[in-house]
Amino acid sequence: MQKVYIYKQFERFWHWTQAILILFLAMTGFEVHDSIHLFGYENAVVYHRIAAWMLLGLIVFSVFWHITTGEWRQYIPSFSKLSAQIHYYTFGMFKGEPHPTHKTARNKLNPLQAVTYLGFKLVMAPLIVVTGMVYMFYRTIDANDMVVVSEIPLEWIAWLHTFGAYLLLMFVIIHVYMTTTGSTPLTNIKAMLTGYEELEDTEASHSVIKKEDPHEA
Amino acid sequence: MKKVILPVALMIVLLIMAVHLFHRPELPNLNHLQLQQQFSVKPVASVDHTQFEQLQKDFATPQDVTEACIDCHNERHKEVMASSHWNWERISYVEGRGIERMGKQNVINNFCIGTSSNQQSCSKCHIGFGMSNDLFDFNNARNVDCMVCHDHSEAYIKGTSAAGYPDRSVNLSQVAQSVGRPGNINCGACHFSGGGGNNVKHGDLEMALLEADRSVDVHMAANGINMTCVDCHEAENHKMKGTLYSVSSTHVSRLSCDDCHSSTPHNDRMLDVHTGKVACQTCHIPEYAKVNATKMAWRWSEAGHLKDGEPYAIMDSMGREVYLSIKGSFEWATNVEPEYVWFNGHATHYVLGDEVDTIPLQVNRLLGSATDRESKIYPVKVHRGDQIYDPNTKMLIQPKLWSDAKGDSAFWQDLDWHEAATAGMQEVGLPYSGEYAFIPTEMYWPVNHMVSTKDESLSCADCHTRDNGRLAGLNDFYLPGRDRHAGIDILGKLMIFGALLGVVIHAMARFIMAIRHKEIESQDINY
Ligand code: HEM
């Protein structure tokens, strides 16, 4: 076993900020939807819009980060071991079988994660962001008497946005649970907090092993 | 180090963004302050009419007063005679009808029905003298009643059923010397008491406005900006600004809050974007009839009952008439929440002689819809009732109601619908088959007055709420908070509960298997 620096600082910052924002957006959004009552309708609308802008800002940064660091490659799905991974979660783990794939800093997502997160990035997030933006700029006449968005019926936008919100919540529930399937229930969460995780040293890249980390002054 | 600086910098940037977005200092509303200043300075009369010799005499007839007015204001009567206050009608283009003269002569209302054949009584609220029947001469300037609008002595009253003449008790000389800019009581004399009593018709125009506080009406409050009717209803050349769609059809010379307040008055973008679709009145007049009750229903069908052979009246515990043999039964209400409709400034009316096409019949219809660019959501008082109608010709009947004596076919004297229908329809030149019935009718009164304070205005959740919101009845558009796709909501909940359930089952399975595993292992050891 080796302590490996697996989640970089920006990645952790991005992950937790996004998590908070999404939860906050869900809380305020479902208040707008009149499912819950927390902040009061007027505040919920204002907070939802502010949080939405912050999430957009964060998404811009993270897209930039993923591209410049090449980390986007982590999400290229590999289907070869996908069924093995699914088999592990549905049967294998109950029998105490080992993980079919190995986590390394270069390859930190298992095939199922890669597919799911890709789905998150390509379907769920764009769905909710795009419908959210259209929703935000939807008004027949804006303050300057300009028509911004009016030809698309508002209900379609709202329906898609609401559907996206449910989808996202479902993702969050399963995602949080899945983090407990590491070697101990808290291993993965600790890793996302500290950046370090104990990994089998078989494939660990030497440059990111803790003691040799050049960034660690 | 780099690893620390970048996220910290990012955090700071995001924090600044957040602070900037969250922090909204209350800006002074300059437009509002300017208006307050403008209306704080009350107009002062430029002449004193008591000084004029022409007015310092005894006038034999009210027409003599009018002549004295015209002597100096020698063109004004022409303006008056071009107004709807005088003509009781407007010529306008009405959708589906073409160019029409419409007004109190031919439009039906849901209270005392119509003026035809009842002018002697109804013309108490006409700005003329001598309108006793449909032969009134609208070209005779001597009959213009200047005093009713311009009297400042508060001594001028029109006589009851006196064809628009002043009451005999009025000292015309005193009135003539008092004249000035119309005050609230001048307008209110007619507009507060339409339908036969205070606040009967409008619901938002009544005596209480003469001594209102800010919770009743922010504009007219005596302890507020204390505005008068004509501050908004400007009357350049005697052409009043403002239309009420009980009789008007088009938005010519319509008065709007925007005229003073602009379409972006809130200093809050989220609120300002509402003004494209929601009229100011909708949020700012959360209820009407705030002081005295207004009539919400009037059922003519119940008129005519006798007790011991005599007509009678029933009062409710508040001393309000709820039944009169001559008029039927009434319902009253105070602090009424308006109903809401899409309205684009155009209305159509049931005109005498039209065929009844819907039941209940809308005697006036406010046009508009969610998809119509010109439409906004407006608050309305809907007055419901029933009216006499001819089932064979399918026309509403204009009954003759008023007469000063029995035996003249007037319903209010003889309580005989058949006679009243015959006489009334003959007067307006329409057929009557001899058979009558009653049909339910509705009338729509946009609510414009009794504007509440900011704090008492509606807030978001009054409409943006799932059940029983203010706009629960207006279902032709998507309203966030109220509307949802039921299917998506069910699917979404299934997804969430499904996920939770799956997670719980999976966790339990892991747990049980782990325990078994341990047992096996420990057995191994114990072995
Ligand atoms: C960039 C991202 C987002 C944007 C731009 C956005 C924008 C909006 C806007 C404009 C509304 C309408 C209310 C209003 O006018 O303020 C809304 C409603 C809503 N939002 Fe978002 N949103 C975003 C993300 C989210 C997320 C992440 C969730 C939940 C996980 C969410 C859940 C909801 C819900 C449930 C509603 C109520 C929809 C309805 O009932 O019509 N939103 N959003």
Side-chain angles (χ1 to χ4, degrees):
Chain A
M1 286 296 223
Q2 191 105 34
K3 237 186 179 185
V4 176
Y5 189 54
I6 187 163
Y7 298 118
K8 316 239 161 35
Q9 200 139 20
F10 174 82
E11 203 170 11
R12 285 178 282 143
F13 161 78
W14 159 63
H15 173 269
W16 289 113
T17 317
Q18 173 158 290
I20 292 167
L21 283 176
I22 285 179
L23 284 178
F24 186 66
L25 281 162
M27 275 153 59
T28 50
F30 279 101
E31 175 139 24
V32 171
H33 195 60
D34 205 30
S35 306
I36 50 173
H37 295 246
L38 285 174
F39 307 102
Y41 200 90
E42 186 166 5
N43 291 332
V45 169
V46 173
Y47 297 166
H48 194 77
R49 290 181 168 224
I50 292 171
W53 280 113
M54 290 169 73
L55 182 63
L56 281 170
L58 193 67
I59 288 173
V60 171
F61 276 115
S62 82
V63 167
F64 183 72
W65 181 84
H66 277 92
I67 293 172
T68 52
T69 58
E71 284 282 323
W72 62 273
R73 281 178 227 278
Q74 300 270 7
Y75 302 96
I76 299 172
S78 82
F79 296 101
S80 57
K81 285 192 170 173
L82 186 58
S83 61
Q85 192 67 41
I86 293 171
H87 179 85
Y88 170 73
Y89 284 126
T90 46
F91 299 104
M93 69 184 303
F94 301 125
K95 299 184 193 147
E97 282 173 16
H99 274 268
T101 52
H102 293 283
K103 198 169 182 176
T104 66
R106 279 228 190 99
N107 196 6
K108 56 194 172 200
L109 305 179
N110 73 44
L112 190 59
Q113 277 178 310
V115 176
T116 314
Y117 297 170
L118 192 68
F120 176 87
K121 281 167 201 289
L122 291 185
V123 181
M124 275 185 261
L127 173 68
I128 201 134
V129 169
V130 171
T131 54
M133 292 302 289
V134 178
Y135 208 149
M136 198 177 308
F137 288 100
Y138 190 96
R139 50 184 75 98
T140 310
I141 297 167
D142 87 343
N144 299 319
D145 282 347
M146 268 181 28
V147 175
V148 181
V149 182
S150 71
E151 299 308 326
I152 318 165
L154 180 60
E155 49 260 62
W156 294 3
I157 301 163
W159 293 342
L160 285 174
H161 194 71
T162 312
F163 180 68
Y166 281 120
L167 214 58
L168 215 57
L169 275 188
M170 182 179 78
F171 167 80
V172 168
I173 293 167
I174 297 173
H175 173 69
V176 169
Y177 174 71
M178 295 299 266
T179 61
T180 67
T181 60
S183 42
T184 74
L186 289 180
T187 308
N188 286 327
I189 292 178
K190 263 191 212 145
M192 192 45 102
L193 281 167
T194 62
Y196 291 97
E197 182 168 357
E198 297 259 347
L199 294 181
E200 287 162 50
D201 33 8
T202 42
E203 285 173 57
S205 149
H206 290 291
S207 64
V208 289
I209 292 173
K210 187 182 181 185
K211 52 192 172 198
E212 286 173 33
D213 189 353
H215 296 304
E216 201 70 8
Chain B
M1 271 312 280
K2 241 161 109 195
K3 255 172 45 184
V4 183
I5 292 171
L6 191 70
V8 167
L10 245 170
M11 271 298 228
I12 291 173
V13 169
L14 281 177
L15 203 74
I16 292 172
M17 271 169 64
V19 167
H20 181 73
L21 285 166
F22 270 104
H23 182 65
R24 303 175 173 208
E26 183 95 13
L27 297 168
N29 191 332
L30 294 179
N31 179 38
H32 203 235
L33 291 173
Q34 197 175 353
L35 287 171
Q36 280 170 349
Q37 189 52 38
Q38 180 187 338
F39 287 101
S40 297
V41 183
K42 302 297 177 192
V44 184
S46 52
V47 292
D48 176 359
H49 282 86
T50 58
Q51 309 277 317
F52 295 130
E53 268 171 34
Q54 295 97 314
L55 302 176
Q56 292 165 353
K57 61 176 186 190
D58 283 335
F59 293 97
T61 65
Q63 279 97 338
D64 293 343
V65 179
T66 302
E67 276 189 354
C69 300
I70 294 175
D71 266 351
C72 295
H73 303 278
N74 58 15
E75 291 293 316
R76 290 296 190 191
H77 57 289
K78 293 179 187 161
E79 297 169 7
V80 174
M81 290 163 74
S83 75
S84 47
H85 271 137
W86 171 258
N87 289 310
W88 265 12
E89 68 176 16
R90 276 208 186 94
I91 299 173
S92 52
Y93 177 83
V94 184
E95 266 181 63
R97 278 186 186 278
I99 302 167
E100 275 262 2
R101 307 175 91 80
M102 295 233 275
K104 290 186 189 292
Q105 340 256 10
N106 58 353
V107 162
I108 288 280
N109 77 51
N110 219 20
F111 297 82
C112 296
I113 303 179
T115 61
S116 296
S117 72
N118 306 307
Q119 286 92 344
Q120 178 82 18
S121 170
C122 300
S123 59
K124 186 176 183 183
C125 284
H126 179 237
I127 58 160
F129 307 121
M131 185 195 271
S132 54
N133 53 36
D134 58 356
L135 301 174
F136 182 74
D137 181 2
F138 285 95
N139 294 316
N140 184 351
R142 273 173 54 83
N143 283 335
V144 171
D145 184 352
C146 307
M147 292 176 285
V148 68
C149 298
H150 293 281
D151 165 51
H152 270 202
S153 69
E154 299 193 11
Y156 187 86
I157 45 166
K158 293 251 204 186
T160 301
S161 304
Y165 281 105
D167 195 83
R168 288 185 192 285
S169 66
V170 173
N171 178 340
L172 294 173
S173 174
Q174 182 200 352
V175 172
Q177 290 178 36
S178 78
V179 293
R181 190 171 188 254
N184 295 350
I185 185 71
N186 298 92
C187 307
C190 290
H191 292 281
F192 292 164
S193 53
N198 182 43
N199 211 20
V200 164
K201 266 186 180 170
H202 290 262
D204 61 340
L205 283 181
E206 61 137 325
M207 307 285 284
L209 290 172
L210 297 173
E211 286 162 7
D213 61 22
R214 294 192 77 239
S215 68
V216 175
D217 188 302
V218 288
H219 294 113
M220 297 177 76
N223 64 349
I225 195 73
N226 201 9
M227 289 168 68
T228 62
C229 307
V230 290
D231 282 339
C232 294
H233 296 276
E234 292 165 2
E236 194 66 33
N237 299 330
H238 284 96
K239 217 184 220 156
M240 305 294 306
K241 240 181 141 187
T243 43
L244 192 72
Y245 291 89
S246 49
V247 279
S248 302
S249 313
T250 53
H251 61 356
V252 176
S253 76
R254 193 175 173 196
L255 183 59
S256 146
C257 309
D258 296 22
D259 295 354
C260 289
H261 290 286
S262 86
S263 60
T264 52
H266 296 102
N267 269 355
D268 179 319
R269 198 164 153 66
M270 208 57 228
L271 293 178
D272 278 346
V273 294
H274 280 77
T275 61
K277 282 285 167 199
V278 183
C280 309
Q281 293 93 319
T282 298
C283 301
H284 292 281
I285 310 178
E287 52 184 41
Y288 58 90
K290 287 180 187 171
V291 184
N292 295 302
T294 186
K295 255 183 206 173
M296 300 305 294
W298 179 328
R299 282 178 291 272
W300 280 101
S301 58
E302 292 170 29
H305 299 318
L306 298 175
K307 203 185 253 172
D308 307 324
E310 289 294 322
Y312 64 102
I314 302 175
M315 305 285 178
D316 68 5
S317 58
M318 309 284 287
R320 305 184 289 233
E321 290 165 346
V322 291
Y323 183 77
L324 284 179
S325 294
I326 60 165
K327 291 184 175 178
S329 69
F330 314 121
E331 279 166 29
W332 297 83
T334 48
N335 300 93
V336 193
E337 283 187 12
E339 296 177 41
Y340 300 90
V341 296
W342 287 104
F343 181 42
N344 61 16
H346 295 272
T348 60
H349 292 79
Y350 179 87
V351 173
L352 279 175
D354 285 353
E355 198 168 289
V356 169
D357 53 0
T358 56
I359 291 180
L361 171 73
Q362 287 88 34
V363 298
N364 68 335
R365 277 184 201 141
L366 306 181
L367 306 178
S369 72
T371 47
D372 170 13
R373 278 269 163 85
E374 301 294 314
S375 291
K376 295 186 188 188
I377 296 170
Y378 276 86
V380 288
K381 169 186 171 181
V382 184
H383 179 267
R384 298 187 163 83
D386 58 25
Q387 288 197 29
I388 183 169
Y389 140 97
D390 185 331
N392 300 313
T393 63
K394 301 218 167 10
M395 287 178 201
L396 283 190
I397 290 172
Q398 166 69 62
K400 181 177 169 75
L401 296 173
W402 185 88
S403 172
D404 54 1
K406 281 194 189 298
D408 192 20
S409 311
F411 187 77
W412 287 348
Q413 293 287 355
D414 305 335
L415 297 181
D416 182 336
W417 278 122
H418 180 69
E419 286 296 319
T422 310
M425 290 305 262
Q426 189 181 353
E427 168 116 9
V428 293
L430 287 171
Y432 167 53
S433 71
E435 223 181 302
Y436 68 87
F438 292 84
I439 54 162
T441 51
E442 292 174 352
M443 188 170 191
Y444 290 75
W445 294 76
V447 179
N448 295 311
H449 306 92
M450 294 200 174
V451 175
S452 285
T453 58
K454 188 168 153 184
D455 299 332
E456 284 166 354
S457 300
L458 294 189
S459 57
C460 311
D462 285 314
C463 299
H464 294 279
T465 181
R466 186 81 72 232
D467 301 308
N468 301 323
R470 292 278 184 144
L471 299 182
L474 212 54
N475 286 312
D476 54 351
F477 67 106
Y478 183 88
L479 176 62
R482 179 191 69 178
D483 295 329
R484 68 196 196 284
H485 191 286
I488 290 179
D489 255 31
I490 292 171
L491 183 68
K493 280 178 190 139
L494 280 178
M495 272 158 41
I496 287 178
F497 288 117
L500 282 172
L501 197 70
V503 161
V504 168
I505 291 172
H506 198 272
M508 271 165 38
R510 268 168 74 198
F511 189 65
I512 294 165
M513 294 316 264
I515 290 173
R516 275 207 203 153
H517 233 75
K518 257 195 200 132
E519 274 170 9
I520 293 166
E521 270 170 19
S522 50
Q523 274 170 9
D524 283 348
I525 294 164
N526 286 346
Y527 216 36

